[in-house]
Amino acid sequence: MEGPQGKIIYNRSSRGSKSKSLPALHLAGIVFKNIYPKYRATFINNRHGINNTLYAGTQLIMALTYKVEVLEICQISPPLGSISTASLPLTFFDIPWLVLPPVQTLFYYELNHPKTYFMNTILPNIKHSLSLTLQHFYPLAGQLTWPQDSVKPQLLYMDGDSVPLTVAECDYDFDHLSGNLSRNADEFYPLVPTFEHAMSDDKLVPILALQVTFFANKGICIGITFNHTSMDGQAFHHFIKSWASICKSEGITSLVTESLPFYDRTVVKDRKGIEIINLNDLEAMNITKDTYNILRIPMVPIDKVRGTFVMSYLDIKKLKQWVMTRLDDRHVAPSFRISTFILISSYVWICSIKARQDTQDDKSSCQDWREYFLFSIDCRPRLDPPLPMTYFGNCVGGCIANGDRNELIGENGMVVAAELIANAIKNVDTELWSRMEKGSSYYKSLPPGRFVSVGWSPKFGTYETDFGWGRPKKTEMNVSDGGAIALNSCRDEEGAIEVSLVRDAVEMDAFASLFENTVSALHL
């Protein structure tokens, strides 16, 4: 059907209902050309759970000026009849993620082909391999729901369920977007999909959405949005690498079947009653089976910049030597192994504190002089019995280090930070469970603006994700503002680490200066 200013694409949802998408409009923030002003988009307000209406021709255009053109929106299902109806109950590792926004990631691939080759050769293989992959990762095609006869939410897959795949093209500067310099954070949001079809039923929340954006004779970007309630970073990379493997082999699934996801959740034992604590936390936030509406749309960080910084292997080695020298000066043998993770985490923690202090008058308003550093640790090997690394779901726990700010920004702040983070890791088997028993109250008690959280991990090996077009030129987790930092391996140098973050321009400049100059100024 043709509209006055563009095509209206009809999508058949996984429940069989027919929904009409707006002409050249991607809901919840992505504005395309040829917008027809009389159409409007309704979305769920992520604070109050109420319906709000944004008119396509006004507010959305004012909010975002970066645009891509949608070529196609389709639904990709596992092969018909390959999977029957199945459900997975959430565990106490999954439930806390219900109230947080979806995770967004970007994979950039250099590809020197015209549009006709992309549409006729590459895209069909992307769709076919995704369908085959979903046969093994079927929960991702399902929905998150809370049945009336269940005490907790679950992942539900029904035969015919599907993952929305948006195909788009744009004329952005591919090299600019996939570079490391400071870039406008708003430029990236048109490249990641949204959960627009979730609006058909507030009780059914989607788990995965995908977008492939074509840059003529330059490359493609695979944008991924997934609900963190369904899986952690380890499980996500199991999925994305399985999909890449099938795509690269043009449909051969033998490597994937050798490492299938593990779905048995009866082996995840809740020995301390943490699940009840989590459900009570939800009820306190008015999230129950009757009021269930937990869709969270990531907020667009207007007027923020994104930066990626690389610490080389030689700089990491120099930093380690400096820390070891300071420890030797105290004539006390270090009680911990100075790992790359501890060094990088300490470094970005100190740089973040100093950058914030340099750009904000926060001393006058701060009554809590402690700073906090949050990171996750994989609990699969820590459970009894241990879980296989192919376990599908969430199985990470939060670790927290905290220390006096004056000591952290002092002359030996790096040593102080390294010891604090090392001790948090050392005590994880006791502190982790103790913190879980406190539920969300502990995290709510942390002073706003006084913590840095690190996500992702160089161990995921994101640059090994090859769909048949070579290694990615760049991979990024679409971190939001608020203290979050993503750590990643480096494509071009073994042993180097990429650090990505989003801040306002002034604080980013301060962080960049500190990150680039602090190591070079160290005297061994």
Side-chain angles (χ1 to χ4, degrees), residues 157-439:
Y157 173 82
M158 298 177 64
D159 190 20
D161 279 355
S162 58
V163 171
L165 173 65
T166 299
V167 182
E169 68 174 335
C170 71
D171 56 2
Y172 290 8
D173 186 334
F174 180 82
D175 295 325
H176 167 73
L177 287 174
S178 57
N180 288 340
L181 298 177
S182 291
R183 296 144 290 162
N184 190 323
D186 295 349
E187 293 178 273
F188 296 85
Y189 282 85
L191 303 178
V192 288
T194 61
F195 288 143
E196 62 180 74
H197 69 295
M199 295 178 293
S200 62
D201 189 337
D202 295 345
K203 303 293 185 181
L204 295 172
V205 178
I207 295 171
L208 177 68
L210 300 167
Q211 179 172 323
V212 178
T213 304
F214 174 70
F215 299 75
N217 298 309
K218 280 291 187 178
I220 63 175
C221 174
I222 298 179
I224 304 165
T225 299
F226 70 90
N227 196 312
H228 207 324
T229 311
S230 64
M231 58 182 172
D232 56 19
Q234 176 67 31
F236 166 75
H237 282 90
H238 187 194
F239 159 71
I240 194 69
K241 287 182 178 179
S242 297
W243 179 20
S245 172
I246 295 176
C247 186
K248 182 177 182 178
S249 65
E250 298 186 344
I252 299 175
T253 62
S254 56
L255 292 178
V256 174
T257 55
E258 293 175 2
S259 180
L260 294 174
F262 181 82
Y263 289 116
D264 185 1
R265 300 199 166 186
T266 63
V267 298
V268 182
K269 306 297 184 182
D270 182 12
R271 305 183 190 279
K272 297 182 179 293
I274 298 171
E275 181 180 293
I276 297 298
I277 297 171
N278 291 337
L279 293 173
N280 289 339
D281 284 343
L282 291 181
E283 186 173 8
M285 292 180 275
N286 195 32
I287 299 176
T288 67
K289 67 178 65 177
D290 298 316
T291 62
Y292 175 76
N293 185 338
I294 55 176
L295 178 62
R296 295 292 184 268
I297 299 174
M299 300 300 291
V300 178
I302 302 296
D303 296 329
K304 303 290 183 179
V305 295
R306 168 186 294 276
T308 301
F309 305 88
V310 177
M311 179 168 282
S312 69
Y313 172 76
L314 290 179
D315 280 345
I316 294 173
K317 186 176 180 180
K318 181 179 180 180
L319 192 61
K320 181 176 182 178
Q321 291 175 333
W322 186 88
V323 171
M324 292 179 64
T325 300
R326 292 301 179 273
L327 289 171
D328 290 341
D329 289 344
R330 299 188 330 189
H331 304 290
V332 176
S335 58
F336 60 94
R337 185 177 69 88
I338 307 175
S339 66
T340 297
F341 174 78
I342 290 176
L343 286 170
I344 294 294
S345 297
S346 302
Y347 194 73
V348 298
W349 189 15
I350 300 303
C351 289
S352 297
I353 296 172
K354 290 182 177 180
R356 182 187 349 116
Q357 182 178 358
D358 290 346
T359 57
Q360 299 177 9
D361 184 20
D362 61 352
K363 283 190 175 182
S364 59
S365 61
C366 178
Q367 297 180 4
D368 185 349
W369 292 91
R370 303 199 71 76
E371 295 281 346
Y372 298 81
F373 183 82
L374 288 68
F375 59 100
S376 297
I377 193 162
D378 194 343
C379 293
R380 287 170 175 80
R382 298 178 180 275
L383 297 186
D384 183 18
L387 295 182
M389 293 306 292
T390 55
Y391 171 78
F392 181 90
N394 287 284
C395 197
V396 294
C399 293
I400 299 179
N402 71 88
D404 181 90
R405 178 166 46 162
N406 289 330
E407 293 183 4
L408 287 166
I409 63 177
E411 182 181 355
N412 290 316
M414 269 294 304
V415 177
V416 173
E419 289 181 313
L420 291 171
I421 295 172
N423 285 332
I425 297 173
K426 179 181 178 181
N427 298 324
V428 65
D429 289 324
T430 54
E431 295 293 330
L432 175 66
W433 304 110
S434 174
R435 196 172 296 115
M436 281 189 172
E437 291 180 77
K438 296 177 182 178

Side-chain angles (χ1 to χ4, degrees), residues 434-460:
S434 174
R435 196 172 296 115
M436 281 189 172
E437 291 180 77
K438 296 177 182 178
S440 63
S441 61
Y442 179 85
Y443 295 96
K444 291 179 180 178
S445 69
L446 298 180
R450 296 293 176 272
F451 60 84
V452 172
S453 61
V454 166
W456 239 223
S457 171
K459 293 182 179 180
F460 292 151

